[in-house]
Amino acid sequence: MNKIPVITIDGPSGSGKGTVATLTAKDLGFRLLDSGALYRSLAVSAIKREVNLEDHQQLADLARCLNIEFDLFNSGSVWLDGEDVSLSIRTDIVSKAASLLGTIPAVRTALHEQQLAFRKEPGLVADGRDMGTVVFPDALVKIYLTARLEERVQRRYKQLIDKGIDATLPLLLRDLKERDAKDSERPISPLKPAKDAVVLDTTDLQVDQVVQLVMSIVRDRLAS
Ligand code: C5P
């Protein structure tokens, strides 16, 4: 049995899981796994190498060699093969490709191993879609964040604009709806709360309120 504690934070796009996971990891002094950034980085790598997105074997091979690092203390930047890809992984084309890669079983298997390797002392906060259901079923605490679609669209819009990435609300609404449907309806590792997850609706909450809630659940669990 692996004794290293894992906190999983799953949920749909724009639910705030990335920000909440980063702040929670900082608070606890734990490592961070942004699993969506793995799917996104694989998409960047595949597009750059002109890999056919229908060639599942080649994509899985690429996923196994993915050399990715997160710089938690430098505003959560993401490095792929030594290159800062924090902005390029957030573009529309990469979001769509990442969502498509998420439906390929061979890719999920390859990334599964990569994700397990993030579990190191003193502990891990992992965010994504299937962290609590599939990748870390023995997690100490499982959180599932949700929020109303309109609120999630607004949040994603602000995030992109703040990063200097072009975005429009109607296109984002369409994109989030499409990705929600793809993520929830795929047969393998669909987006859904784990049976033992605490579900938090963040629509009317500020980020620091959500982090406080999560931290109080984690502290209770660590103390028991
Ligand atoms: O979380 P984020 O929006 O960055 O994830 C990008 C895409 O990667 C998602 O739309 C989803 O299809 C895929 N993904 C996944 N499983 C995860 C994390 C992300 O399938 N654990």
Side-chain angles (χ1 to χ4, degrees):
M1 204 182 97
N2 195 328
K3 294 235 169 71
I4 299 173
V6 178
I7 317 300
T8 59
I9 304 185
D10 288 305
S13 302
S15 57
K17 63 187 168 11
T19 313
V20 171
T22 304
L23 294 172
T24 305
K26 274 188 185 168
D27 233 335
L28 291 164
F30 279 14
R31 291 163 58 87
L32 173 72
L33 166 61
D34 171 356
S35 62
L38 288 184
Y39 286 86
R40 288 171 179 274
S41 299
L42 177 62
V44 168
S45 191
I47 292 167
K48 206 160 129 192
R49 288 160 205 249
E50 298 183 358
V51 175
N52 181 344
L53 294 189
E54 282 174 14
D55 187 340
H56 295 183
Q57 192 51 54
Q58 211 186 338
L59 288 167
D61 290 344
L62 195 59
R64 254 178 234 107
C65 313
L66 211 58
N67 174 16
I68 184 162
E69 277 170 52
F70 297 105
D71 186 353
L72 177 58
F73 299 105
N74 184 14
S75 53
S77 58
V78 180
W79 296 77
L80 173 68
D81 297 327
E83 188 189 335
D84 186 350
V85 291
S86 315
L87 288 184
S88 53
I89 59 168
R90 303 289 160 202
T91 57
D92 186 40
I93 181 162
V94 170
S95 301
K96 286 203 173 79
S99 183
L100 177 73
L101 292 174
T103 63
I104 303 173
V107 165
R108 297 204 78 87
T109 305
L111 288 182
H112 191 113
E113 290 160 27
Q114 291 256 6
Q115 292 166 95
L116 294 180
F118 278 81
R119 188 173 195 170
K120 292 205 176 118
E121 295 284 4
L124 176 69
V125 178
D127 85 74
R129 304 289 187 291
D130 60 344
M131 297 296 97
T133 48
V134 175
V135 182
F136 300 107
D138 63 337
L140 179 75
V141 174
K142 298 179 187 179
I143 306 286
Y144 187 89
L145 298 183
T146 63
R148 256 200 323 269
L149 177 65
E150 295 71 19
E151 173 64 20
R152 293 194 281 118
V153 170
Q154 288 287 348
R155 289 179 191 171
R156 191 36 67 96
Y157 177 76
K158 187 172 179 307
Q159 235 173 25
L160 292 173
I161 296 300
D162 285 351
K163 286 192 166 133
I165 298 174
D166 263 353
T168 66
L169 287 169
L171 280 182
L172 270 182
L173 176 65
R174 197 187 67 188
D175 176 51
L176 245 66
K177 265 190 186 160
E178 274 176 20
R179 282 208 288 139
D180 278 0
K182 208 180 232 141
D183 290 346
S184 318
E185 289 160 15
R186 67 180 174 222
I188 175 167
S189 305
L191 167 68
K192 63 168 185 200
K195 284 199 182 75
D196 47 350
V198 180
V199 179
L200 298 175
D201 186 331
T202 70
T203 307
D204 299 314
L205 297 176
Q206 300 295 322
V207 171
D208 54 344
Q209 292 176 303
V210 183
V211 175
Q212 270 176 27
L213 274 171
V214 171
M215 282 302 294
S216 74
I217 296 167
V218 173
R219 284 205 190 93
D220 276 357
R221 205 65 64 85
L222 283 170
S224 65

